[in-house]
Amino acid sequence: NAGVTQTPKFQVLKTGQSMTLQCAQDMNHNSMYWYRQDPGMGLRLIYYSASEGTTDKGEVPNGYNVSRLNKREFSLRLESAAPSQTSVYFCASSEWAFTGELFFGEGSRLTVL
Amino acid sequence: GQQLNQSPQSMFIQEGEDVSMNCTSSSIFNTWLWYKQDPGEGPVLLIALYKAGELTSNGRLTAQFGITRKDSFLNISASIPSDVGIYFCAGPSPNDYKLSFGAGTTVTVRA
């Protein structure tokens, strides 16, 4: 009963390093999302994929890229990490874009030194 | 940007208390959602509201969709220790339908 699975759960990077956060869902959902959570800021949408083959920018896309690898998987890439990208990242999925319930993963805590 | 304002930012509860929190927007929303995030976990949907004036319960939780469509309220009755966490309101932005979240209300047990 996995739902939405994110890896890694924790990561420490140095400024300028790159990394990819992986996300997979097993609910056959069409839409997937990446949010970041910062204290006092709630959850802010980075990128989303309304359906397989499409991706769109959210509220805070700068410094990130995404790939919808297939219907199950949606990855988030930081090409050159900056301290401002220190955050907790959540992947989520839903049956259709922004309607109904979003199911979230457990989060990935990223620290950029 | 963020359009949802949650109040209070944080609160301390004592077991057995009733607690209330709200969420307001400068724009009209057609859907209000309330999520809860337990420590170390992702948010989980508690209640969804789709109609102005709607009052919906989920166990000890009751949420209301404000008549003006610019606010929503969440009440927790007879709180218990496992009610601690962060409660988020959310709704599809009236401009682009992307789901926006409030900053959250952090609920902590009073020692």
Side-chain angles (χ1 to χ4, degrees):
Chain A
N1 199 19
V4 178
T5 304
Q6 295 180 231
T7 56
K9 288 195 172 18
F10 300 95
Q11 183 74 47
V12 179
L13 291 177
K14 293 182 180 175
T15 297
Q17 286 186 317
S18 62
M19 78 155 299
T20 300
L21 297 175
Q22 308 285 355
C23 176
Q25 52 93 8
D26 62 3
M27 295 173 281
N28 200 35
H29 285 165
N30 294 289
S31 305
M32 298 184 74
Y33 316 82
W34 279 104
Y35 283 87
R36 61 177 286 175
Q37 182 179 22
D38 302 292
M41 304 286 287
L43 292 152
R44 292 182 292 168
L45 182 65
I46 305 171
Y47 270 95
Y48 69 100
S49 170
S51 60
E52 187 178 355
T54 71
T55 60
D56 284 288
K57 294 178 181 179
E59 183 185 352
V60 288
N62 292 345
Y64 305 95
N65 286 303
V66 290
S67 295
R68 184 75 182 266
L69 304 168
N70 47 55
K71 191 172 185 180
R72 288 188 66 246
E73 298 172 288
F74 189 39
S75 62
L76 178 72
R77 182 159 178 85
L78 287 70
E79 290 292 352
S80 178
S84 61
Q85 294 178 304
T86 294
S87 189
V88 181
Y89 292 85
F90 286 96
C91 178
S93 71
S94 64
E95 188 173 2
W96 300 107
F98 299 115
T99 60
E101 180 176 359
L102 263 63
F103 292 82
F104 285 85
E106 292 186 337
S108 299
R109 183 175 292 275
L110 175 66
T111 302
V112 183
L113 303 175
Chain B
Q2 204 159 292
Q3 304 174 0
L4 301 176
N5 299 303
Q6 284 190 250
S7 176
Q9 191 172 13
S10 62
M11 62 167 58
F12 292 89
I13 63 170
Q14 202 142 32
E15 191 168 350
E17 277 184 334
D18 295 346
V19 299
S20 296
M21 59 193 80
N22 65 40
C23 189
T24 60
S25 169
S26 56
S27 305
I28 288 174
F29 274 68
N30 294 317
T31 300
W32 286 97
L33 306 168
W34 285 93
Y35 281 82
K36 185 197 176 197
Q37 183 181 27
D38 289 327
E41 305 284 332
V44 173
L45 182 68
L46 296 174
I47 293 177
L49 302 160
Y50 299 105
K51 199 165 139 184
E54 182 180 353
L55 190 72
T56 297
S57 293
N58 179 3
R60 294 176 297 103
L61 306 174
T62 302
Q64 183 162 24
F65 193 141
I67 292 177
T68 65
R69 295 164 68 189
K70 292 185 176 181
D71 56 10
S72 180
F73 307 88
L74 178 69
N75 297 312
I76 306 172
S77 62
S79 54
I80 60 178
S82 62
D83 288 334
V84 301
I86 305 176
Y87 292 79
F88 292 102
C89 63
S93 167
N95 298 322
D96 56 18
Y97 301 103
K98 294 172 188 170
L99 197 63
S100 294
F101 285 79
T105 293
T106 301
V107 175
T108 312
V109 174
R110 186 184 290 136

